[in-house]
Amino acid sequence: MTDTDRGTQRDRDSAFYLFTQQNLPACKPVLTPEWVFMTFLFIGFIFIPVGLVTLRASHSVVEIVERYDIGCVPEPFRINKVSYIQDDSIPKNCSLSFKVPKYMKAPIYIYYQLDNYYQNHRRYVKSRSDKQLLHGQNQHGISSCQPVEVNNDRPIIPCGLIAWSLFNDTFTFIRNRAELKVNRKNIAWKSDREHKFGKNVYPFNFQNGTLIGGGKLNPRIPLSDQEDLIVWMRTSALPSFRKLYGRIEKDLDVDDVVVVHLMNNYNTYSFGGKKKLVLSTTSWLGGKNDFLGLAYVFIGSSSVTIAVVFTLLHLLSQRH
Amino acid sequence: MAKGKIRAKIKRSQLYTFACGRKSTQEAVPFVEGAGCSRTVHCNQPHMHRKRPLKYRSNYISTTKYNFLSFLPKSLYEQFHRVANLYFLAAAVLSLTPLSPFSAVSMIAPLAFVVGLSMAKEGLEDWRRFMQDMNVNSRKVKFHKEGGVFEFKQWQQIEVGDVVRVEKDEFFPADLLLLSSSYEDGICYVETMNLDGETNLKVKRAMDVTLSLEEDEDFKNFTGLIKCEDPNPSLYTFVGNLDYDRQTYSLEPAQVLLRDSKLRNTGFVYGVVIFTGFDTKVMQNSTKSPSKRSRIEKKMDYIIYVLFSLLLVISLISSLGFALKTKFHMPNWWYMRPDDTEQFYNPKEPFISGLSHLVTALILYGYLIPISLYVSIEVVKVLQATFINQDLQMYDDDTGIPAQARTSNLNEELGQVDTILSDKTGTLTCNQMDFLKCSIAGTAYGVRASEVERAAAQQMANDLEQDGRQSSVSSKRSKQDIELETVVTSKDGKDNKPPIKFFSFEDDRMTEGNWRKEPNVDMIILFCRILAVCHTAIPELNEETGTYAYEAESPDEGAFLVAAREFGFEFFKRTQTSVFVRERYIGSGQTTEREYKILNLLEFTSKRKRMTVIVRDEEGQIILMCKGADSIIFDRLAKKGKTYLEDTTKHLNIYGEAGLRTLALAYRKLEESEYSAWNNEFQKAKTSIGADRDTNLEKVAEMMEKELTLVGATAVEDKLQKGVPQCIDKLAQAGLKLWVLTGDKMETAINIGFACSLLREGMKQICITTLDSESKEAIKENILTQVNNGSQMIKLEKDPYAAFALIIDGKTLAYALEEDMKFLFLGLAVDCASVICCRVSPKQKALVTRLVKEGTGKVTLGIGDGANDVGMIQEADIGVGISGVEGMQAVMASDFSVSQFRFLERLLVVHGHWCYKRIAQMVCYFFYKNIAFGLTLFYFEAFTGFSGQSVYDDWYMILFNVVLTSLPVISLGVFEQDVSSDVCLEFPTLYQQGPRNLFFDWYRILGWMGNGLYSSLVIFFLNIVIFYDQAYRAEGQTTDMSILGTIMFTCIICALNFQVSLIMTHYTWMQHVLIWFSIVAWFIFLFIYGMLPPKISHSAYQILTEALASAPVYWITTLLVTIACTLPYLAHMSLQRCFNPMDHHVIQEIKYLKKDVSDQVMWRREKTKAREKTKIGFTARVDALIRSLRGKLNKKTHSIESNKSYPPS
């Protein structure tokens, strides 16, 4: 063998040569019947246990859902709920009570749930100014806040439809005649509080206009501490959504009777949206979510079924 | 002059009788003026042409599409010609308005990227063309500067009126008027291969008046005025006259040297430039090569239209929904201030808001249309083309030329070819003639086997071996597939004589002077003398070796002269009147030089099919020597001259079967008186003037060319190119049909057909021919009957193995291609196993190609090497040029070029197959992925009151097509191999997946779209149900739009990339990197994006680190959705593979299980099964032979059995 021959031989083994000749060593997995069987069985063996664990976690969650939008309207006003809710002269307080069905371990999360409320509508989603929320009134760029941007030629802080329509029902919880303390701190994302809502931005002229939308804000508290607003400003993805209201940091025992005094301020009557109060514990999974576990079990068991059926079919019709 | 070569200077015009007949100068000069004849050329005064009105176009040529200035507007126009790009442009413009659901940058950035990339590719290709032009433009030629001094100047600077001097083997820089040449009589030889593809040399001849301009100095004071026709594309006409020396002479085409033709066999010529640059005939002839698009790409357009319709439908649905929502629900949504809205949301004007929403929706759902599809395909194709260019197995070691994909947009079309239309000369054969056998006086000489014979012998040996093996089980290593390697039959290799070019003759009886011992010495001498004398070649002495090379007009003639030399009759000198031959073995063994005075030379024309010289030898004997086509010669034999007719005919038949070109040789001894009587008449005819001069001459020549005595016949082998039969065999096994379109005569074509196994014994040949004499109607009638008879014959044939071959000549083809008959003809041709068209013109080649292409609707591939194939190459769906030969015209017009025909196999069966599947799968996947993604946007709309809000961040959307899902697709399109290249070649039937279009039929496309729909539903609704209201973390937080969007997008990225990994069957580290990188890239992006200040990242700020990564549900859901999306595909594939496997599935499995090593029998059986049923090619030949042998065997056993059952009493 001459030197040049050896050279070419070396070239022929080089990765570049193999690459240009489309001859790189390759793994060529083939779905042979054995592999098919193994794959589906494997999927099944992974998915069914995961599904069962998930279901178990979901079952460990105790959830209480109380709808109050109708119950909180006094009988005489039920024909025209909209006028009821828009009439400021009528007191809006209301109370519900429910029995705790199961032991609930703290923390118990309190949510309000709205239905048929299009927080994800494009007009609504766009109507905010992140700049203003962080930096306050000196900043420009509130044009996106249309149609709620200025009041008396001064930009409203916080501007935009989202803030303007802030949810303002309030809840107080009483167990055994003693008030259950609701922790309303740290219900918003930390990053929002620290980086998106200004520490020096005060809602001094919020809801001062002619048309008042939702809740008002305490003008002496900076936006970064207005956690209700921060939670509300995270627009929901779907027209039915829950938002965190607070936490009860005490356990609730079975058959405890909880009375809720609430201020039914928020108008969902004009568009027929439901309002619900939700108390829920969580697991590592979050809230109650049977579907996820069921889906896992379903996929896992269909996988196993496919594996079995496939093997049977294969044994019945021997190829080769 | 070429180094080391000496040539006698002679007046060659004397040699010719029929061509370049001299016109009498007395003839009236036609008045050249008026329309179409306005060009004026001042010879040797180029300065006259520098200002109007005589300023003509410069000699600079440019074939580029764009120039520096026009590139931007023109290429932009090209880009936005595509309907998809136009849509995206409109969307990008609209994205600047508030109607857009996305930010402007998310629309403009991908478009700019995609268009920019395509334009860069265009620019690069055009740059290459520009460099090629520059190469031509900067060639140099000698021109007359002034005062008889010639200097070099670039072609592009040549001006009309310049006198140029072109040396031997140089190209003419422009159309020239020939003034004089190195030959005294102003003759020169021109090779016009680049113009019309004809390889034989053409004779051009200067006018007598300009012959005196023999040297550089003669041009000092030369002037003249040419008035001639305007530039036009007709290659064979020229009208004009020359005012010179106060006389007017008329000019003819014979005096015009055309650009791109080449000066051959002539030292130099002087000429005046008449037409330059684009005015030259060749440039006038050049047609813009049509832009071809592959079938897949055409079908892709339909899919795009389908998607556009889908887009329109869902946009209409969502704008209708929006209008209704706005009208009926919006007034109740107080939180949206319905009292204070701009028009888009005004509940009082739902129509306007619906209409404006339509625009929004059309932009929003634009993700259904894969913006990056075109650009990805282009990237993929360029890379595929690079692989084709790089393939060392298509690299010709001899010439150093690799295969080249000249356009990259037809790669996948290579995998769908149904019919190959091939040129013969230069493509299938080398156009090199080897003298192989001869028959002299009824005795056959030459023992060496032709390629066809060798191949046949090899097969017979194989067959025997095979039969033997079938009986003996012991021999394990069987070679059932026929090995077609050419056997080296260099006898034992003991004689180490270097092979002589053009001479493969082997017979001890003839060589080394041994023929003197043969019985018919006289005839042998005569035979050799005819070979040595009856020709028009010129000897050239190579001073270095002392041998003579011959410059002949046809390669056959060269082979004859070499043969004569080897037999001892060396032609070494030609003068004006004589041919000198050195005879080695005559007499005492001394070499004697003999002179043959040429009295008349009646050269070969295609019409006459024979050549005759009348010579007077040294003894004063006048002999007529004639060589020509056997049928022609046999008709002209004297009664006494038929002594050897029977034997010679027998030999000629054998030679024909062996695939050789044959010519018969004959002579006639003439009496002095007889000759002079005829010569008088001949001279009279020769000097006569008028249109019937040629006819007269022919008639007179006919009178002499009779009463001949047959001497023998020659057989030369038109050598097939290396590997051609094997290649044809494989292509046939791959189910491809091969049509041969050749300019050659029928006999030659049939011989080559046999040599390539396109024809074989036992094949029924349907020859369709016509006779000259009949009227047009009669001819048509006749052809119609023949075609109908042929079809009838095929229909009535019961034997399933019967094969038919259709052979048709050009003249007949002209009628058969007429509108009323062509489909009938095509029907017959398609039924035949092989089709050979002979004597076809370039135009007809293109017409036949078009007929096949349009008539059958299948993909055609045209392959050829010469300019006469350009039409065919351009007309065919794919044009392949054979590079490496001198003429580049075919290559320039082609889409792919290979240096040898045999590389076609790999180009089609390996690269074509791969590229087809790659592109088909890639496009399917592309649509799948965009439907899966795009529809989730639509579903989400239904939950937002159709308001046009997107659930995904703008940046996710930008990256989706461009980064996050593009690389795996590209790797699918570039690297995917269903089976390795060796397996492709071993299982040619796999190729049929392309022509049958198994991977891009509507069934499959709709299947993928359905899969996309399924995936979109799974992705969206699983996510919605899981996340719509419940807390998704232990800390109690619920999802919002950005979190749900990010989770969904994660699911999409994982599911789509996992899906592409399932499509692939071939993973090198590159695929692994590209797929897994794409998934990882998404998380990396999300991490980095989340780290950016909220001013940039908005709602995605810290989304991964804070909200998602720590939530187990996020990961669990991603896994669930990914598996749920791909499970049906996986199940479908598993079931298909196991219960209804496609060919490549079986092979993949065998290869995977290494069965090919462990179970040879099965592997072989699969291989045999993997051949398409074909009736041409070697394998088919062998199969036919086996069948006939079996048939005989059956008969025998039958007869034995019958004998048994009736035992004689």
Side-chain angles (χ1 to χ4, degrees), chain A residues 81-89 92 267 270, chain B residues 334:
Chain A
K81 301 184 203 93
V82 178
S83 65
Y84 161 79
I85 201 79
Q86 283 173 343
D87 191 343
D88 288 339
S89 58
K92 299 288 167 22
N267 177 11
S270 44
Chain B
W334 60 268

Side-chain angles (χ1 to χ4, degrees), chain B residues 776 780 784 813-826 847 850-851 854:
Chain B
K776 207 184 155 198
K780 281 188 91 168
L784 200 63
L813 198 59
Y815 294 104
L817 287 177
E818 278 176 17
E819 209 51 49
D820 49 340
M821 210 139 78
K822 64 180 185 187
F823 290 108
L824 214 61
F825 164 68
L826 182 68
L847 284 176
R850 184 180 300 166
L851 178 67
E854 286 169 3

Side-chain angles (χ1 to χ4, degrees), chain B residues 984-1125:
Chain B
C984 282
L985 294 170
E986 279 176 75
F987 292 85
T989 198
L990 276 180
Y991 184 78
Q992 276 299 314
Q993 292 184 339
R996 288 190 196 137
N997 203 9
L998 291 182
F999 285 81
F1000 209 62
D1001 52 358
W1002 281 106
Y1003 171 74
R1004 197 165 271 259
I1005 294 164
L1006 292 176
W1008 274 109
M1009 289 186 166
N1011 194 12
L1013 178 71
Y1014 165 79
S1015 294
S1016 67
L1017 288 169
V1018 166
I1019 292 166
F1020 186 76
F1021 286 101
L1022 282 184
N1023 274 300
I1024 291 296
V1025 175
I1026 292 169
F1027 292 105
Y1028 79 107
D1029 60 356
Q1030 282 293 349
Y1032 76 101
R1033 288 162 60 93
E1035 288 77 35
Q1037 291 96 337
T1038 52
T1039 55
D1040 60 41
M1041 198 144 77
S1042 62
I1043 290 175
L1044 184 66
T1046 309
I1047 297 175
M1048 244 156 78
F1049 200 79
T1050 308
C1051 292
I1052 288 173
I1053 296 297
C1054 292
L1056 298 190
N1057 282 322
F1058 188 59
Q1059 174 71 66
V1060 77
S1061 77
L1062 287 181
I1063 300 174
M1064 285 183 194
T1065 56
H1066 180 91
Y1067 289 92
T1068 66
W1069 59 268
M1070 316 245 323
Q1071 277 97 323
H1072 282 298
V1073 165
L1074 291 173
I1075 293 175
W1076 312 128
F1077 169 76
S1078 295
I1079 294 179
V1080 171
W1082 158 243
F1083 291 106
I1084 293 173
F1085 159 77
L1086 201 57
F1087 176 74
I1088 295 173
Y1089 189 49
M1091 284 294 129
L1092 297 175
K1095 227 182 350 182
I1096 299 167
S1097 58
H1098 299 292
S1099 56
Y1101 180 65
Q1102 295 201 348
I1103 199 162
L1104 183 69
T1105 44
E1106 188 185 27
L1108 292 177
S1110 54
V1113 183
Y1114 173 59
W1115 304 107
I1116 291 182
T1117 307
T1118 305
L1119 177 67
L1120 175 76
V1121 173
T1122 306
I1123 297 296
C1125 277

Side-chain angles (χ1 to χ4, degrees), chain B residues 484-541:
Chain B
L484 296 165
E485 284 146 38
T486 40
V487 199
V488 184
T489 51
S490 170
K491 284 207 299 185
D492 318 325
K494 66 183 175 191
D495 45 355
N496 288 327
K497 267 199 301 186
I500 301 156
K501 215 177 170 190
F502 309 121
F503 188 72
S504 307
F505 183 86
E506 245 176 53
D507 196 333
D508 289 341
R509 291 174 294 175
M510 284 293 287
T511 46
E512 311 284 341
N514 291 339
W515 47 265
R516 280 172 298 181
K517 297 169 198 141
E518 288 293 301
N520 286 309
V521 184
D522 291 345
M523 285 312 245
I524 292 175
I525 293 174
L526 203 55
F527 180 87
C528 295
R529 280 185 183 154
I530 295 176
L531 290 186
V533 174
C534 181
H535 57 77
T536 54
I538 310 169
E540 254 184 37
L541 178 64

Side-chain angles (χ1 to χ4, degrees), chain A residues 253-284:
Chain A
D253 287 322
V254 184
D255 293 341
D256 273 358
V257 175
V258 177
V259 178
V260 187
H261 293 296
L262 56 86
M263 295 298 289
N264 182 19
N265 295 325
Y266 203 70
N267 177 11
T268 58
Y269 302 104
S270 44
F271 51 88
K274 294 175 204 156
K275 288 199 276 190
K276 288 174 191 164
L277 176 69
V278 180
L279 272 76
S280 172
T281 60
T282 59
S283 64
W284 58 266

